[in-house]
Amino acid sequence: NEIRDIYQDRQNNIWIGTGNGGLNLFDRNKKTFKSFKHNASDPNSISSNNIRTIIQTEDGGFWVGTYGAGIDFFSPERGEFKNYRHDPKNPNSLSHNSIQDIREGPKGNIWIATENGGLSVLNPKTKTFSNYQHDDIDLGSINDNSLYVLYDDKEGNIWIGTFNDGVNFVKTDNKFTHYRHNSSPNSLSNNLVLAIYEDAKENLWIGTDGGGLNKLERKKAKFTHYRHDSHKTNSISGDYILTVTEDSRGNIWIGTWGNGLTIFNPEKNT
């Protein structure tokens, strides 16, 4: 019953990743569930029952991120899982086995956010990983190795939310730009980032753990903060933001931890 991720594929089927129950596939036409669980005696089974994220890539395959067992590639044609893990003897292996998020980035590369291992980028053709970790000497390196969320914008750039150091912006040249909370009132409100979403007007919405919601006007590099105010009935319902999305009318839907759902109209600012 611990649901970690829900994903709709191109066939409109629903994939459900659970905390300890493996991966489940709901066939919407047949109204049936199929369960994928780890089997120690089957090397082609899913590598773990603790699933954090699922995506389908352009080739029709699926990448599954686990907590503690690396990532799996699932081929629907073969019905088999192939596992990729960290190998301390191989610098071109996955950087860490605890996965938080996965995205398909430019050139079909697979971008992988890990907990404590920084960023791994897999080249599906060569099956090798390029790893990006924080370097105290290199100010242009990724600024935290504990990553929580990835988001690919309309231009193919990657945004990375971290546990302690705000947001990293990665252009297609793999150079990192940092956005952190600091003394400026226009900076990010909180450095623990849980959600990132780009709306139709290319504003970036960033949900934080305790700092409410932020809107980044990218051209101005300016953040607007939306915090809960107990004296205002039309303020955001809570400051712990888990998910953000936009509907067809341009309203922003905000899911919180413990404070329900807020629907925000950016035009009316309510």
Side-chain angles (χ1 to χ4, degrees), residues 99-111:
I99 310 303
Q100 293 292 346
D101 205 2
I102 302 175
R103 285 288 184 275
E104 184 175 24
K107 301 178 182 178
N109 291 331
I110 308 302
W111 293 61

Side-chain angles (χ1 to χ4, degrees), residues 163-180:
F163 275 99
N164 297 298
D165 285 288
V167 174
N168 286 255
F169 169 63
V170 192
K171 290 186 177 181
T172 52
D173 58 6
N174 291 342
K175 293 184 178 179
F176 296 87
T177 300
H178 310 139
Y179 296 91
R180 299 185 79 256

Side-chain angles (χ1 to χ4, degrees), residues 189-210:
S189 66
N190 185 288
N191 286 327
L192 204 168
V193 175
L194 302 178
I196 303 174
Y197 184 82
E198 182 183 30
D199 67 20
K201 295 182 178 180
E202 299 186 359
N203 294 309
L204 208 72
W205 298 85
I206 299 168
T208 71
D209 187 40

Side-chain angles (χ1 to χ4, degrees), residues 131-144:
N131 296 318
Y132 302 87
Q133 296 181 328
H134 176 64
D135 183 343
D136 289 334
I137 299 175
D138 182 3
L139 298 179
S141 70
I142 194 169
N143 67 355
D144 195 344

Side-chain angles (χ1 to χ4, degrees), residues 61-89:
F62 294 85
W63 291 91
V64 182
T66 75
Y67 193 78
I71 62 171
D72 290 341
F73 176 75
F74 177 70
S75 168
E77 291 79 16
R78 298 191 191 95
E80 298 176 350
F81 292 85
K82 179 175 175 54
N83 181 243
Y84 297 84
R85 298 194 187 206
H86 174 64
D87 179 355
K89 297 179 181 179

